[in-house]
């Protein structure tokens, strides 16, 4: 499949971030203040690719985007698909693209391309990357070959699956990578090349009135005894992700705390390595993956800690009891691959 529909209609929705940031004062740092119309107006070439409609949805640094914002955004996107839009581009800060894009991926039940992009260099620097990223993102959103791939992230002319993409560098233009899977494609001149396709992701349907409860992401480090875990329930957390060593391992000192936590809330095990998946039955020591899984912990599979936390948060919000939460989480996890 190549090409794009005859004169595609693409919706650009802005949420803020570096791509929309300029100086509020001569001596101050930049803050998100450009509108979606400003972003689109700065790239006249967009009009050669598609008819563009622009919506300013939020103007935030991306760390301030909430799950509630993304649930509301997903409904806007679904409404526009129903009205016949051919693709959607969401612009936002890059700091949380890996989580926001995966949240949209799970929430959205659409077949049009939904492409998230941003910028590493803001518009007042010598070589801002926002305009080029926006142009490539619109090309992908208008491409027939990008349909049915779920939510995508386009940065630096590369096309990534939301489920695997990670921000790997604090300032480099090539910060977005998918170390576990590789890219799905790229953009060259006017061509969108899709070279790999994703399995259809299980979706979770949420209303704006659904309560989103906090889920803790707990890192694991050499010599850690897990003493913070005993406080999570009192602090109001309703689920936890343990971002463990290697194939899903923790120091043996943490095992008791994890086992007891798993009797109070769903606890997911992920790997802090950033690629590959949690093993199931290779190691047998106290604190190994098989030990933790036998104590009621749920495997995050190939989802990293941040993506596991997104999936668990949405599963919790959509379900009434622990059994249902686990089943929903596992459904999303197992739909990552064929
Ligand atoms: N540095 C960030 C960005 O790329 C700021 C943010 O995430 O909002 O947009």
């Amino acid at each position: 499949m190549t090409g794009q529909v005859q004169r595609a209609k693409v919706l650009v929705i802005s949420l803020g971030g570096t791509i929309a940031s300029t100086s509020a004062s001569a001596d101050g740092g930049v803050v998100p203040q450009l509108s979606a119309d400003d972003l689109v107006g700065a790239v006249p070439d967009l009009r050669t690719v598609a008819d563009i409609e622009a919506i300013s949805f939020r103007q935030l640094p991306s760390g301030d985007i909430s799950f509630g914002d993304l649930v509301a955004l997903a409904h806007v996107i679904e409404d526009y698909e129903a009205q016949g839009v051919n693709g959607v581009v969401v612009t936002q800060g890059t700091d949380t693209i890996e989580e926001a894009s995966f949240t949209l991926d799970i929430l959205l039940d659409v077949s049009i391309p939904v492409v998230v992009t941003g910028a590493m260099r803001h518009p007042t620097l010598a070589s801002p990357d926002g305009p080029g990223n926006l142009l490539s993102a619109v090309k992908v959103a208008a491409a027939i070959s990008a349909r049915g791939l779920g939510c995508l992230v386009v940065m630096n002319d590369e096309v990534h699956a939301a489920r695997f993409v990670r921000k790997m560098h604090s300032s480099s233009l090539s910060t977005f990578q998918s170390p576990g899977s590789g890219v799905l494609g790229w953009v060259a001149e006017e061509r969108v090349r899709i070279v790999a396709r994703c399995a259809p992701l299980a979706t979770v349907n949420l209303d704006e009135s659904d309560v989103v409860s906090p889920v803790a992401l707990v890192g694991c480090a050499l010599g850690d005894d897990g003493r913070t875990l005993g406080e999570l329930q009192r602090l109001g957390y309703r689920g936890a992700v343990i971002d463990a060593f290697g194939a899903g391992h923790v120091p043996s000192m943490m095992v008791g705390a994890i086992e007891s936590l798993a009797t109070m809330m769903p606890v997911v095990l992920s790997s802090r390595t950033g690629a590959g998946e949690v093993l199931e039955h290779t190691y047998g020591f106290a604190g190994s993956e098989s030990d933790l899984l036998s104590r009621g912990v749920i495997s995050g599979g190939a989802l990293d800690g941040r993506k596991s936390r997104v999936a668990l948060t949405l599963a919790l919000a959509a379900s009434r009891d622990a059994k249902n939460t686990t089943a929903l989480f596992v459904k999303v996890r197992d739909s990552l691959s064929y």
Side-chain angles (χ1 to χ4, degrees):
M1 261 190 303
T2 54
Q4 64 177 71
V5 284
Q6 281 281 311
R7 201 61 199 164
K9 187 167 175 206
V10 172
L11 176 68
V12 175
I13 307 178
S14 67
L15 302 188
T18 295
I19 192 169
S21 292
T22 54
S23 304
S25 63
D27 53 351
V30 297
V31 294
Q33 52 191 347
L34 298 177
S35 67
D37 280 325
D38 293 332
L39 299 184
V40 167
V43 191
D45 282 358
L46 291 176
R47 306 278 172 198
T48 66
V49 180
D51 289 334
I52 308 286
E53 181 171 344
I55 299 180
S56 295
F57 189 75
R58 300 284 186 270
Q59 256 180 2
L60 296 169
S62 70
D64 284 342
I65 295 171
S66 68
F67 282 104
D69 291 329
L70 296 169
V71 171
L73 176 59
H75 287 298
V76 170
I77 293 172
E78 285 173 346
D79 286 349
Y80 269 86
E81 186 195 39
Q83 289 167 35
V85 86
N86 301 109
V88 175
V89 171
V90 175
T91 64
Q92 67 155 91
T94 57
D95 289 351
T96 62
I97 277 188
E98 57 197 278
E99 288 149 284
S101 62
F102 189 49
T103 301
L104 290 174
D105 207 6
I106 296 176
L107 291 174
L108 283 169
D109 192 6
V110 297
S111 57
I112 55 170
V114 176
V115 181
V116 184
T117 193
M120 294 302 291
R121 295 188 184 151
H122 58 76
T124 64
L125 289 175
S127 55
D129 54 328
N133 286 338
L134 181 58
L135 184 56
S136 288
V138 168
K139 288 175 186 171
V140 175
I144 293 170
S145 57
R147 287 185 183 171
L149 292 176
C151 191
L152 302 168
V153 172
V154 171
M155 292 282 293
N156 210 24
D157 288 337
E158 291 182 331
V159 183
H160 297 265
R163 65 192 70 176
F164 293 125
V165 72
R166 292 169 68 96
K167 186 174 183 182
M168 308 286 288
H169 193 285
S170 59
S171 58
S172 166
L173 299 190
S174 59
T175 180
F176 283 93
Q177 295 174 31
S178 300
S181 63
V183 298
L184 298 186
W186 57 84
V187 180
E189 299 173 331
E190 71 285 358
R191 295 176 299 282
V192 174
R193 300 290 192 198
I194 301 296
V195 295
R197 300 192 75 79
C198 294
L201 194 68
T203 53
V204 171
N205 205 339
L206 284 187
D207 287 328
E208 283 165 65
S209 56
D210 287 321
V211 177
V212 178
S213 303
V215 171
L217 176 57
V218 183
C220 186
L222 188 70
D224 191 356
D225 62 9
R227 70 184 69 180
T228 57
L229 297 176
E231 295 299 309
L232 295 184
Q233 191 177 44
R234 188 182 63 77
L235 291 171
Y237 288 102
R238 294 289 171 263
V241 175
I242 311 291
D243 207 21
F245 303 137
H249 305 153
V250 300
S252 56
M253 289 185 290
M254 280 180 86
V255 173
I258 292 176
E259 182 169 27
S260 125
L261 191 65
T263 64
M264 302 174 208
M265 61 182 75
V267 177
V268 169
L269 182 66
S270 62
S271 168
R272 70 176 193 173
T273 60
E277 66 177 77
V278 168
L279 296 182
E280 291 175 7
H281 49 70
T282 297
Y283 294 92
F285 54 82
S288 66
E289 81 287 352
S290 67
D291 181 35
L292 295 172
L293 295 175
S294 74
R295 295 172 195 267
V297 167
I298 308 158
S299 170
L303 293 172
D304 70 18
R306 294 187 283 270
K307 310 273 187 198
S308 289
R309 179 176 168 276
V310 163
L312 183 56
T313 301
L314 301 181
L316 269 166
S319 51
R320 300 214 184 285
D321 57 44
K323 222 169 125 187
N324 195 228
T325 302
T326 303
L328 258 180
F329 176 86
V330 166
K331 197 168 152 196
V332 172
R333 178 198 73 192
D334 289 351
S335 68
L336 287 183
S337 60
Y338 291 106

